[in-house]
Structures are given as structure tokens and as C-alpha cells.
Amino acid sequence: MSAGWVVVLLSLLLGVQPLATDLYLPALPSIATAFQAPMAQVQATLSALLLAFGTAQLLWGPLSDRWGRRPVLLAGLAAYALAAVACALATNIEQLILGRIVQGAAMGAAVMGARAIVRDLYAPTEGARVMSKGLTGLGLFAVISGPLGGWLTEWLGWRATMAALAVFGAAGLALVAWRFEETLPQRNPHALRPREMLRIWARIAQHPTFWAWALLAATSYGGLFTFLATSSFVFINVLGHSKTSYGLLMLSMSVVYISGTFMCRRLIPRLGVRRTVAVAAALTLTGGTLCGVLALAGLHTTWAIMGPYYLFILAHGVHQPCGQSGAVAPFPQAAGAASALAGFIMMVTAFAMGTWLGHRMADGAAADVYPLTNGLWFWAAAIATVAWTLVQRHGEARPAPQATAR
């Protein structure tokens, strides 16, 4: 594959995640009304998707190391499209949650595969730059997701958002079948043996470089997820925005995120990966702290939240490509397993936060901004701590030959 097609396919594979979340965020209040469902169950349509997404990667990773990236991607995208159809036809909240679980598990194949493909083809530093290009493409999908989701919900109802995901999944399946060429250099015939899987994961989990970058990606995603899980209720129910207006706010957030991925590619050749992350962490902490302090001062307005959040999401455009590529960098012959374990950690973090937010908002906090603002403040502090300590100490990628299968 040409370098251009690699970036296009990475963008497509990574883009299934923001589409599965951002596109239907404007529909969350409508779903709650349509099914007369409590807040915790409505939040579960998001948090259960992400838990299934993270858990399924633990299987998709070894499968891709055994059989290759291509068959795993084809199976995952087919299941993603079919699950979206099931969600669109759901007649109660329980069916919708079940459909989202299947969709999340299928989504894991695409995103895990994207991270593994980067390690198959590129050395660590170049991998971070290529991943940032793929995440720029993800940002473009996120740009259209918010406004499109708001428009579809406003005029066609929440089921239309799920139908749109089915169309995207089918298109992605066709493109991968047409253009994707296998990138796995050598299949591991032992990758699916339970004992071998546990041995490989244990080796990965003992590597300090893996933890430095995996925790950076997880904490940064925790902050993004906090915004995704609460923002529709805050901006629509508390601050009075229409669904379309909320979608435009999501568009602006995505544009800033894309700018962050460009900033990442500019800074890495000049500063190196670790110093780039340290600079971005200063923006993260500034944005998160401002968001929390302004809310405590009583400034519960759109721009008192979005202004500081732009700093946070700008830095997210640096932390994610560096974190996701850095976590798999020491494991060139077990990239699927390393990608899967890193993705699992990210999604367990999001699921835990989503569960807490669901109960917090069910207790009446959906009527204020604090779950959003305090959550961002917490994650900003966590991101800065990881970026300024673990990444600086252990962020230099060193191969771990013992993590490969024998």
C-alpha cells in the first residue's frame, strides 16, 4: 500500500470510534425520553459500548497476530454494520444496550488493527507521526459527527443516527476489502494458545515503557470521555442549546483537536516525543484547572466551559498519537497483543468514569455543570502527572524481544 492509502485506511479504522459515540450524543436526551429510561441506563448505552470495545480487543489482538490484520478487520467491520442496524430497530433500552455492546466489541477490531498496522510498518518515532495523521482523519470524522448527529436527531429522530452508522460500517467494509493489503510480517501460530497469550500479556505488562504511554493515552481519553458523556446534558438541558447548536459546539471541539494533531507533527521533529508530551501537558493542566475554577466561581456559561476545554482538547491531539503508538513501540512482533492491552486499559478507564457519571447524574447532578467541569479538572491533573513523571522516565522505546511468542 502507498503511504497515502495507509493514512486513509488508518483514518477510516480509527474513525469508527468517534462516529459510534459523537454521532449519537445529541440523541441521548431523546433516547431517555423515547424509552422513559433512567439516566443510568441511558449512560450505559455509551459506557457499555466502550467496555465491550476494550474487552474485545483482548481477543482481537491475538487473533490478528495469529491470522493477520485483514481477516480481523473484515469480520469486525461487518459486525459493526449489522449491530448498528439492530440498534436502529431496538424497541426498548435493553435491546439498545445489547446492540451497543455488540457494536463496541466489533469496533475493537478496527481500532486495535489500526494501532497494530502502525507498528507493523513504522519505527516508533515515525509511527507517532503517522498515527497523528490517522488521528487527524479521525478528527475529520468527529467534525462531521456532532452536527450530523444533531441534524439527524432534530429532523429524523435518534434512530437515524444508528442507520448512519450502519451505512458507514458497510462503506468501510467495502474499502478494506478493496484496498487493504496484509501488513503483518509473520504470523504467530501460537498466539491463540491461552498459556501463550497470558505469557505475552505478562511480558507486556511488565514493561515500564508500555505503562508510561498506555496510562497517558488512558488518562487523556478519560478526560475526553467525561466531556462526551456529560456535555449533551449540560449544553442542551442545563444551558439551553438546541441539538443542532450542540452539534456545532462538537464541531468546533473537533477542529481544535485536529489542530492538536498538526501541532504534534510539528513539535516531534524539534523537541522529540517526550518533550512534546510535556509541553502539551502544560496546556492540559491549564485548561482543566480553568474549567474547574470558573465553574466554582459561578460562571456556568457555554464559553466558560468551552474556552478552557479547547486547551484540553488541543493537547489531546498530541497525547493520543504519542500514547497509542508509544504503547506498542517496544513490541514489533506482538503489536496486536500490545495494542489490545493498551486499548483495554483505555476503555476500562472510560467505563469506570461512565458508571460513576451515570450514578452521579441520576442523583440530580444532571441539573448542573459540575460533573463535567470537575471531571475535566481531575483528568487534567492525572494527565500532567503521567506526562511529567512516567513518560519522562520510561518513555524511550526499547525493544522487548521476550514479549514475542516462541
Side-chain angles (χ1 to χ4, degrees), residues 4-53:
W5 269 113
V6 170
V7 172
V8 169
L9 289 164
L10 285 177
S11 300
L12 173 84
L13 297 173
L14 294 167
V16 301
Q17 185 177 354
L19 282 167
T21 54
D22 297 15
L23 190 71
Y24 99 123
L25 286 179
L28 286 178
S30 298
I31 291 171
T33 301
F35 290 133
Q36 294 295 298
M39 193 69 65
Q41 281 192 312
V42 176
Q43 289 288 347
T45 63
L46 182 59
S47 56
L49 170 121
L50 294 176
L51 181 63
F53 171 51

Side-chain angles (χ1 to χ4, degrees), residues 122-142:
Y122 302 101
T125 299
E126 183 61 20
R129 298 183 68 188
V130 172
M131 180 62 81
S132 76
K133 293 180 180 179
L135 289 172
T136 298
L138 176 152
L140 293 174
F141 284 117

Side-chain angles (χ1 to χ4, degrees), residues 126-181:
E126 183 61 20
R129 298 183 68 188
V130 172
M131 180 62 81
S132 76
K133 293 180 180 179
L135 289 172
T136 298
L138 176 152
L140 293 174
F141 284 117
V143 162
I144 65 172
S145 293
L148 179 60
W151 185 86
L152 288 172
T153 304
E154 196 94 54
W155 296 102
L156 300 176
W158 68 267
R159 295 180 190 277
T161 64
M162 297 300 170
L165 293 180
V167 172
F168 177 81
L173 177 65
L175 186 60
V176 168
W178 175 44
R179 294 296 307 186
F180 182 75
E181 298 175 16

Side-chain angles (χ1 to χ4, degrees), residues 208-397:
T209 299
F210 170 81
W211 280 108
W213 293 113
L215 287 176
L216 180 71
T219 51
S220 186
Y221 189 78
L224 173 65
F225 178 80
T226 298
F227 184 88
L228 296 178
T230 59
S231 58
S232 62
F233 295 98
V234 168
F235 289 110
I236 295 173
N237 292 350
V238 179
L239 300 180
H241 285 267
S242 69
K243 295 177 180 66
T244 302
S245 173
Y246 168 70
L248 292 174
L249 288 175
M250 295 293 289
L251 182 152
S252 70
M253 177 198 79
S254 300
V255 169
V256 175
Y257 167 75
I258 291 172
S259 301
T261 64
F262 279 101
M263 183 174 73
C264 178
R265 295 200 290 278
R266 293 268 186 163
L267 291 180
I268 285 176
R270 301 177 185 179
L271 303 179
V273 179
R274 286 182 292 174
R275 288 180 64 191
T276 295
V277 164
V279 170
L283 296 176
T284 302
L285 189 58
T286 300
T289 302
L290 278 174
C291 199
V293 168
L294 290 175
L296 291 176
L299 293 175
H300 298 177
T301 66
T302 299
W303 296 110
I305 297 172
M306 290 302 298
Y309 185 66
Y310 287 149
L311 293 177
F312 187 102
I313 202 65
L314 181 72
H316 183 73
V318 175
H319 294 317
Q320 279 303 304
C322 293
Q324 291 191 35
S325 61
V328 301
F331 312 102
Q333 293 176 299
S339 170
L341 192 57
F344 176 73
I345 293 167
M346 286 175 65
M347 293 309 115
V348 167
T349 300
F351 178 79
M353 190 64 183
T355 301
W356 180 83
L357 286 169
H359 290 294
R360 179 82 174 87
M361 296 175 76
D363 292 336
D368 61 48
V369 303
Y370 293 115
L372 171 56
T373 57
N374 289 343
L376 288 176
W377 197 357
F378 167 80
W379 288 114
I383 293 163
T385 299
V386 172
W388 293 338
T389 57
L390 293 179
V391 168
Q392 302 310 310
R393 293 173 190 168
H394 305 297
E396 188 68 30

